């Protein structure tokens, strides 16, 4: 991770947005892996039918978005608000979700008049189903951000404007309460 940060910080975004090929090539080489992994994780989290080829399509779409209209999206990056890697992670998640929303990408729709089987779970796959009254609102929020939105501790801390240790502590408390509720002990 530190090596990627060092490589990322060496990229001059101004040179990239001026259209310098060498700067663009370095940008692509440095960030293609991050964009691919975020896209793949986001797609798989929301759809079991998506795979590596879909993630590659999303990455291509991201690079097109970044250069479109004279690098308008890339020019909107503000290094004072976030690191380039964090900003690109948000862009990649958004692009992956947009990909899933396109009808040609297998989005399943059900007519309202159709009767659904009673045993079918209509809750989207992968979303937490937390028992009511067991966790505090903040604990539930943190678990959903961790597991439904696939955010890491530092991203959650930034979003909630708390310390990372607070997020880790609330996660631990929430998991402890859930283990007690379900009567399970912590795995070894």
């Amino acid at each position: 991770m530190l090596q990627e940060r060092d490589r990322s910080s060496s990229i001059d975004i101004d040179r990239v947005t001026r259209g310098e090929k060498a700067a663009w090539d370095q940008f692509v080489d440095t960030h293609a892996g991050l964009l691919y992994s975020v896209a793949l994780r986001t797609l798989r989290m929301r759809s079991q039918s998506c795979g590596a080829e879909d993630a590659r399509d999303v990455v291509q779409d991201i690079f097109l978005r970044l250069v479109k209209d004279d690098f308008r999206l890339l020019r909107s990056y503000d290094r004072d608000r976030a690191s380039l890697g964090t900003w690109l992670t948000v862009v990649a998640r958004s692009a992956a979700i947009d990909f899933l929303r396109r009808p040609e990408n297998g989005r399943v729709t059900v007519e309202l008049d159709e009767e659904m089987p009673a045993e079918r779970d209509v809750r989207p796959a992968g979303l937490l189903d937390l028992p009511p009254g067991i966790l505090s609102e903040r604990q539930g929020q943190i678990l959903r951000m961790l597991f439904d939105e696939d955010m890491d501790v530092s991203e959650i801390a930034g979003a909630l404007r708390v310390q990372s240790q607070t997020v880790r502590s609330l996660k631990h408390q929430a998991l402890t309460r859930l283990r007690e509720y379900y009567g399970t002990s912590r795995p070894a």
Side-chain angles (χ1 to χ4, degrees):
M1 185 71 148
L2 181 58
Q3 185 179 16
E4 183 173 318
R5 277 192 197 144
D6 291 341
R7 290 176 62 199
S8 177
S9 64
S10 69
I11 295 175
D12 184 350
I13 297 299
D14 294 330
R15 286 183 53 223
V16 173
T17 58
R18 283 194 304 263
E20 292 183 25
K21 183 175 178 355
W24 175 253
D25 290 345
Q26 181 186 13
F27 178 85
V28 170
D29 288 344
T30 302
H31 297 292
L34 170 69
L35 295 174
Y36 175 79
S37 65
V38 171
L40 183 61
R41 183 174 51 207
T42 303
L43 291 172
R44 285 187 174 161
M45 186 172 72
R46 290 172 170 77
S47 173
Q48 277 70 34
S49 64
C50 289
E53 186 65 33
D54 297 315
R56 283 190 285 275
D57 289 345
V58 170
V59 172
Q60 288 301 315
D61 183 54
I62 294 166
F63 285 128
L64 288 173
R65 288 181 186 198
L66 291 171
V67 300
K68 186 178 175 185
D69 298 326
D70 193 33
F71 297 94
R72 187 182 62 142
L73 178 60
L74 189 55
R75 289 178 195 276
S76 72
Y77 164 64
D78 181 359
R79 71 189 74 213
D80 293 332
R81 294 185 67 197
S83 71
L84 183 57
T86 299
W87 184 80
L88 287 171
T89 297
V90 172
V91 170
R93 283 187 184 143
S94 297
I97 291 169
D98 289 348
F99 176 86
L100 290 170
R101 289 180 178 154
R102 292 182 206 143
E104 67 270 16
N105 293 323
R107 192 166 118 193
V108 177
T109 59
V110 176
E111 292 296 322
L112 292 177
D113 293 338
E114 285 184 31
E115 193 169 317
M116 294 182 67
E119 68 275 0
R120 184 170 174 187
D121 184 10
V122 294
R123 189 175 52 84
L127 296 182
L128 287 178
D129 188 16
L130 299 172
I134 301 301
L135 305 177
S136 71
E137 185 177 327
R138 180 56 65 102
Q139 289 170 335
Q141 179 184 26
I142 286 173
L143 289 184
R144 286 185 181 88
M145 292 172 91
L146 282 165
F147 300 110
D148 289 347
E149 298 175 31
D150 200 27
M151 295 174 72
D152 65 34
V153 170
S154 60
E155 290 173 317
I156 296 169
L160 299 178
R161 296 187 175 150
V162 298
Q163 298 292 319
S164 294
Q165 183 55 43
T166 302
V167 173
R168 285 190 285 274
S169 176
L170 288 168
K171 173 191 171 191
H172 174 75
Q173 292 169 10
L175 293 177
T176 299
R177 283 185 173 181
L178 289 173
R179 284 185 195 105
E180 290 170 0
Y181 175 79
Y182 288 111
T184 60
S185 61
R186 183 178 185 146

